[in-house]
Amino acid sequence: MAQVPQTFFDALAVRTWCGLALEKLGRAREEIDAINVYPVADGDTGTNLYLTVESAVAAVEAVFAAHAVGAGALPTGAGGPGEPGKPTLADAVRAMAHGALIGAQGNSGTILAQLLRGMAQVFAADGGTPHTDSSGLRLALRHAADSARQAVAHPVEGTVLSVASAAADAAGRAEGDCGTVARAAYEGACTALAETTGQLAVLGRAGVVDAGGRGLVAVLAALVETFTGEAPGAVVSGGHARVGTVVAGGGPETGPAVDEGASPADAGDCADAPQEDGPAFEVIYLLEAEDAAMTRLRTRLDALGDSLVVVGGDGLWNVHVHVDDAGAAVEAGVEAGRPYRIRITHFGLGDVHTRGGARPPREPVQRAVVAVVPGEGLAGLYTEAGATTVLARPGEPPVSGELVDAVRRAHAREVVLLPNDADLRHTAAAAAEQARTEGIRVALIPTRSAVQGIAALAVHEPGRRFDEDVVSMTSAAGATRYAEVAVAERQSWTMAGICQAGDVLGLIEGDVAVIGSDVTGTAETVLDRMLQAGGELVTLVLGDEAPESVADHLEARVRESYLAVDTVVYRGGRQGALLLIGVE
């Protein structure tokens, strides 16, 4: 159905644009994933762009819903500068930018979030105006392209940055209404996209255009349709008609992409030329930090790896980097402020970085493990073992959508999901069910603690049958008794009696078993009770606030009193509990 064209860029235009962009990216997602060969051939650019815009759409819809509810309680004429029941342009673009920022996925999604933020900064400059015209749209596209380029540590031509700059340049030369400016931006982006194949050697060898740039063209096609009510048609560039089968997410009517003589499936041909080894991990997190701390953070992360993109502002940032030392990248964020929603992804043995330029696989891996972990230290440990992790901060449990996203990022046909928290049982079950509808075989092992997850991961063998692997991992987790030592936040009745705020609590299998005043003494009592039932291995995971001496004391206790028992110690970071204990 054709859209009702928008004359001006107002809140309704923002809502329409975001919805159309999501629709077009949804249709083009798999095709964009298929041509993703730069900066890493991990086949997820289309998915990352879709998830980023999906988050923006949710934020815009939420602000419209809030104004609709608020309007019902207002007398006629009391709605402020916007229409009753409708947000202002500033409200809508700020919501769009914030939603994209907190939901940005991958390198391409992070850059798109900054493009949207750059546009929002122009549109929201005069918070009271209900709409803007074509001059405002030209300025917004220019500022978006410039701010996105500034967010990337080392801008590279032949990428989405080139496409965004070309769109802004073309828009700046256009005269007319918003529809005319939007179409000029789209056509300029199409021309620049076709040129990316010759600007980056890896794209030329694969015979494809830049995947991120192609996604941006889809977003700009949605902008044209917002103002004209019609999807843009094919564009002739450089004497060759570019067949629009892949860019804007529709059919041939949606615009240019790549010459039909080059198939996305030929992306692996880039293996003909050797490539240098690159970082093994992608690290992404949201960061609450003062603007002054970001210069040092950028310098530190730039020294650790590549593909560094830092976007945001006003105290909230989205950080993306490719590194070999994932823990160091997270620690840099801790020094700068408060990182959360930390996602660490191992590119895998099949990635071009780790295979020295060998042909990158176009198919998903057979099996992967996705795990929820309570601290940065454990996130690094699980990632090194090959798992895709979702960080659960104290008081901030992940929602099912985050788990589904992690399952998608694992890029596997079969996934073993470890929630590592009894309270996440239903959340993990919902995520597993959603992933199954997408054709992914998911097994949920109901681990109730991160130490049970460690035991399960230790026996994981991707090479054996899926059912056998799941049974073995489930058995290992079930054979691991778990406990934790924490500090009581308030007075409460427990299985061990009444505790007061500040008391040290020892919880075994989720129930308070010991109330003490000393961390080391309480931990020793808990460990002794657990080992009374036997055991061969003790796992200790220390939180940042645990006394330095507690691990040494407990290791010595095990050596002296339990001769046949081994002990292993890990640093968990800011994990909520002072100490996690596992006995298996």
Side-chain angles (χ1 to χ4, degrees):
M1 180 181 295
Q3 295 291 322
V4 177
Q6 302 291 316
T7 306
F8 296 101
F9 201 94
D10 60 3
L12 184 57
V14 174
R15 186 187 202 182
T16 302
W17 178 35
C18 289
L20 286 171
L22 185 65
E23 177 184 322
K24 292 181 183 297
L25 287 171
R27 291 201 300 266
R29 176 165 59 177
E30 291 184 2
E31 296 178 22
I32 295 176
D33 283 344
I35 63 166
N36 174 202
V37 297
Y38 181 86
V40 175
D42 48 357
D44 63 358
T45 292
T47 298
N48 287 338
L49 290 169
Y50 179 86
L51 292 172
T52 302
V53 174
E54 184 179 48
S55 182
V57 168
V60 172
E61 290 301 324
V63 80
F64 266 85
H67 278 75
V69 171
L74 293 174
T76 302
E83 297 177 17
K86 175 182 171 183
T88 64
L89 172 60
D91 292 332
V93 294
R94 286 177 183 140
M96 173 188 71
H98 181 74
L101 177 67
I102 65 174
Q105 306 283 323
N107 188 69
S108 54
T110 307
I111 293 174
L112 178 60
Q114 186 64 16
L115 287 167
L116 297 179
R117 177 180 169 81
M119 294 185 71
Q121 287 175 324
V122 173
F123 291 142
D126 183 359
T129 186
H131 58 75
T132 190
D133 56 15
S134 59
S135 62
L137 181 57
R138 283 192 293 267
L139 289 174
L141 290 167
R142 178 79 270 159
H143 184 64
D146 292 345
S147 62
R149 190 169 286 269
Q150 292 167 6
V152 177
H154 301 285
V156 175
E157 298 306 323
T159 65
V160 64
L161 298 177
S162 303
V163 177
S165 294
D169 291 343
R173 296 189 295 268
E175 296 293 338
D177 59 12
C178 286
T180 302
V181 172
R183 185 176 294 277
Y186 168 76
E187 293 177 357
C190 289
T191 300
L193 178 64
E195 294 171 354
T196 60
T197 306
Q199 291 176 295
L200 273 178
V202 65
L203 300 181
R205 289 192 296 270
V208 297
V209 294
D210 178 67
R214 182 174 151 197
L216 179 59
V217 168
V219 173
L220 291 172
L223 186 65
V224 175
E225 189 169 347
T226 298
F227 292 116
T228 67
E230 298 179 353
V235 176
V236 177
S237 174
H240 298 282
R242 306 292 181 175
V243 182
T245 58
V246 289
V247 176
E253 77 281 6
T254 56
V258 60
D259 289 325
E260 288 300 299
S263 168
D266 293 334
D269 291 344
C270 64
D272 293 340
Q275 296 183 23
E276 296 181 358
D277 289 346
F281 299 103
E282 178 184 58
V283 179
I284 307 173
Y285 51 80
L286 292 178
L287 178 67
E288 293 179 356
E290 298 296 327
D291 291 7
M294 300 311 294
T295 299
R296 173 176 167 77
L297 175 64
R298 285 189 175 96
T299 301
R300 283 203 59 189
L301 293 178
D302 192 29
L304 288 174
D306 60 29
S307 295
L308 173 61
V309 185
V310 180
V311 305
D314 302 320
L316 180 63
W317 307 83
N318 190 305
V319 178
H320 170 280
V321 68
H322 294 172
V323 294
D324 281 320
D325 190 343
V330 175
E331 288 172 5
V334 172
E335 290 183 7
R338 188 181 80 91
Y340 62 104
R341 291 195 186 180
I342 300 171
R343 300 188 297 276
I344 302 174
T345 304
H346 195 298
F347 288 128
L349 296 178
D351 180 72
V352 291
H353 283 332
T354 54
R355 293 185 56 177
R359 182 184 179 97
R362 304 315 305 161
E363 295 294 324
V365 298
Q366 184 61 31
R367 190 174 309 157
V369 176
V370 172
V372 180
V373 292
E376 297 92 343
L378 280 179
L381 173 68
Y382 272 74
T383 302
E384 288 173 6
T388 297
T389 61
V390 178
L391 189 69
R393 301 297 253 159
E396 299 177 3
V399 297
S400 62
E402 292 178 78
L403 300 188
V404 173
D405 175 34
V407 171
R408 290 169 179 154
R409 286 189 288 115
H411 200 52
R413 297 184 180 91
E414 301 168 341
V415 171
V416 179
L417 181 57
L418 306 175
N420 291 339
D421 187 336
D423 292 336
L424 289 178
R425 181 176 68 256
H426 297 302
T427 300
E433 188 62 31
Q434 173 60 37
R436 291 181 189 119
T437 66
E438 300 179 11
I440 304 171
R441 188 180 186 187
V442 181
L444 171 60
I445 298 179
T447 48
R448 294 172 288 174
S449 170
V451 292
Q452 288 189 324
I454 291 173
L457 199 55
V459 300
H460 170 54
E461 291 186 15
R464 63 186 165 194
R465 290 179 57 248
F466 185 61
D467 292 340
E468 292 177 356
D469 199 29
V470 171
V471 168
S472 179
M473 294 176 72
T474 302
S475 177
T480 303
R481 301 187 300 281
Y482 65 96
E484 67 178 78
V485 176
V487 177
E489 296 181 355
R490 58 186 178 276
Q491 184 186 65
S492 180
W493 288 87
T494 75
M495 296 289 289
I498 301 175
C499 71
Q500 306 295 328
D503 283 348
V504 180
L505 306 180
L507 294 88
I508 299 178
E509 305 283 327
D511 292 325
V512 177
V514 181
I515 300 175
S517 58
D518 173 67
V519 173
T520 302
T522 301
E524 180 180 326
T525 302
V526 169
L527 184 56
D528 284 340
R529 290 192 184 183
M530 296 179 74
L531 287 172
Q532 284 175 3
E536 299 176 354
L537 176 66
V538 171
T539 301
L540 304 175
V541 183
L542 274 66
D544 280 349
E545 297 181 4
E548 288 292 329
S549 61
V550 66
D552 292 338
H553 180 85
L554 294 179
E555 283 187 287
R557 174 68 176 172
V558 171
R559 281 196 306 270
E560 295 168 2
S561 303
Y562 307 94
L563 300 181
V565 180
D566 294 323
T567 305
V568 61
V569 180
Y570 301 112
R571 295 282 174 176
R574 295 191 293 180
Q575 62 185 21
L578 297 173
L579 176 69
L580 300 178
I581 303 174
V583 175
E584 53 184 297

